[in-house]
Amino acid sequence: MRIYILGIGGTLMGSIAQLAKALGHDVSGFDEAVYPPMSEQLAGAGIRYYEGFEPGQLEPEPNLVIVGNANLPRGNKALEAVLDRGLRYTSGAAWLGDALLHGRWVLGVAGTHGKTTTASMLAWILEAAGLEPGFLIGGVPANFRVSARLGGAPFFVIEADEYDTSYFDRRSKFVHYRPRTLVLNNLEYDHADIFDNLEAIQVQFHHLLRTIPGNGLVIAPGQSDALQEVLQRGCWTPISRFGDRAPRMALPTDNGELWSVGKVAAHGRSFEVSLSGSRVGEVDWDLIGRHNQHNALTAIAAARHAGVPVAQSIEALADFRGVARRMELLADTGRVRVYDDFAHHPTAIRATLEGLRQAVGNDEIIAVIEPRSHTMSLGTLRQDLTTCCAPADQVLWFRGSNIKWDLGEVVQNCVVPAKQYDDLELMKRDLIKLDAGPRQRHIVLMSNGAFGDLRQTLPALLEKSGRD
């Protein structure tokens, strides 16, 4: 089958292209721009892609067009050409559900935060257990170096995103995946560009719950009012809990399990795992932060549902190498370390900085933040932005062109010393000139976008500055 993909440069659509190619289809597609690492993955898979659309790309006529959900509204030249020609089309999520996931044991990871990291952990645990899982993840796990693969039947791990499916299907993508094992990490208000409020997101999560079979498993936090409200609307599947304690009122399908974190080492890089009050092992790894400890609990619980013993999962996590752009170390000059983090929400920013603070003690932390995600760029959570960087010593805010509100009020009310920049070159110069004093410095670049060329150029500039 000849498949043409609109928006092939995105994480989801680029991963779908690789999976379709692996299934034997002739795959091509376009996007307005295709950047690494997706451009490299597509080229490595032998997939043709175009930057910018021309009608000739639809010759010979494709058997199917898969439509992405990013920047593809009515009026888009490529989309209008598909509709005018009467070509058969579907969404990426629907294609996954129909062509790939049907008949497989799908392990879905949903929630506002931690989806990519948890899905990567889970895929690695299954891989280490010899189960050869397929996966589709919204990032590049270091253990695999690709965002998607077919794997061997039956297991398939998927990052179950609540963003809408396409311009013609406003349901969340995850309703197409029909997992047997479902991780619900957490739930907060996000995606202010498509959801009016938290209630609208909860409706979609309830739709997801209605797709989980009775012999499946839902793994949910014991203490999340937002998710508890979703579960109370109806859950027909056993629920295993994680966190510090179980919910105040158990639901009929709660199975009595509670996965929790026991004793944590002072540096935060090892912690005990408990199941219903009994110690079942200790994770010793390179990741930091309470959020990653909870991610590990859910991955262990999900793998156990797929038949992997807890001890084997804990052993696998010792070799988990993280995910690109999730506190990825870009440079270490000796006095200064630079990290890249995919910060999309104030809660994620706080959790990341808290984990780093626990790991580095009194070292200096500078957060360099571009509030670029739809929710932050719209100013919806601006009050939370003033406090989310509290674990840092100071924060540099970058106001990109997509921010239509006054970032100055966040800078003024920030709980740590803060400064706003509209010019990345000026920000670079100031970062290089900052005097770290006797302390080790940690600079965390926090954006869910490219952040200009900051990620590529700042480490080299700091290295040169240290030699001069």
Side-chain angles (χ1 to χ4, degrees), residues 341-375:
D341 191 66
F342 191 85
H344 75 288
H345 189 282
T347 298
I349 292 171
R350 178 185 291 275
T352 297
L353 294 175
E354 284 177 344
L356 181 60
R357 174 57 69 199
Q358 181 184 14
V360 305
N362 292 324
D363 288 358
E364 182 187 33
I365 298 175
I366 299 176
V368 183
I369 305 175
E370 179 187 24
R372 180 184 175 277
S373 69
H374 286 302
T375 301

Side-chain angles (χ1 to χ4, degrees), residues 73-311:
R74 285 302 306 266
N76 177 275
K77 184 167 63 172
L79 180 58
E80 294 302 318
V82 169
L83 296 176
D84 288 345
R85 296 186 185 200
L87 300 179
R88 182 181 169 215
Y89 66 91
T90 188
S91 69
W95 181 85
L96 280 170
D98 294 339
L100 182 63
L101 300 181
H102 179 71
R104 298 192 72 163
W105 183 318
V106 178
L107 301 98
V109 181
T112 308
H113 316 293
K115 293 186 293 293
T116 300
T117 301
T118 304
S120 300
M121 289 180 192
L122 179 53
W124 174 243
I125 289 172
L126 298 181
E127 175 77 358
L131 299 179
E132 301 180 27
F135 57 82
L136 193 160
I137 296 169
V140 182
N143 294 85
F144 296 105
R145 299 187 182 279
V146 292
S147 59
R149 77 172 191 190
L150 283 180
F155 300 107
F156 195 96
V157 178
I158 191 163
E159 182 173 328
D161 183 13
E162 71 270 25
Y163 208 78
D164 61 0
T165 298
S166 69
Y167 85 94
F168 57 87
D169 182 355
R170 291 307 192 189
R171 295 173 297 168
S172 291
K173 291 194 288 288
F174 54 37
V175 300
H176 294 279
Y177 301 157
R178 301 180 182 179
R180 177 169 298 276
T181 308
L182 174 64
V183 172
L184 298 174
N185 272 339
N186 39 61
L187 182 55
E188 290 190 79
Y189 182 53
D190 197 8
H191 307 304
D193 53 321
I194 61 170
F195 293 117
D196 291 334
N197 47 45
L198 179 60
E199 161 70 16
I201 307 176
Q202 289 175 307
V203 168
Q204 296 297 323
F205 272 75
H206 177 61
H207 291 166
L208 174 61
L209 282 178
R210 297 180 75 91
T211 70
I212 314 302
N215 61 356
L217 180 68
V218 173
I219 301 160
Q223 300 298 308
S224 169
D225 292 341
L227 278 176
Q228 188 69 1
E229 290 172 7
V230 173
L231 292 165
Q232 287 171 343
R233 295 183 184 191
C235 182
W236 301 265
T237 307
I239 305 170
S240 180
R241 301 288 187 162
F242 71 93
D244 296 331
R245 57 189 186 277
R248 290 185 297 273
M249 293 187 62
L251 298 177
T253 54
D254 269 296
N255 65 9
E257 293 181 344
L258 176 64
W259 297 85
S260 59
V261 173
K263 183 179 179 181
V264 180
H267 51 65
R269 287 190 169 90
S270 65
F271 64 95
E272 292 181 349
V273 177
S274 294
L275 175 56
S276 301
S278 297
R279 182 185 185 279
V280 292
E282 181 175 336
V283 173
D284 188 359
W285 62 355
D286 292 332
L287 273 66
I288 57 176
R290 188 74 165 183
H291 59 300
N292 278 322
Q293 293 164 7
H294 283 167
N295 292 340
L297 294 179
T298 62
I300 292 168
R304 178 170 173 257
H305 188 231
V308 180
V310 172

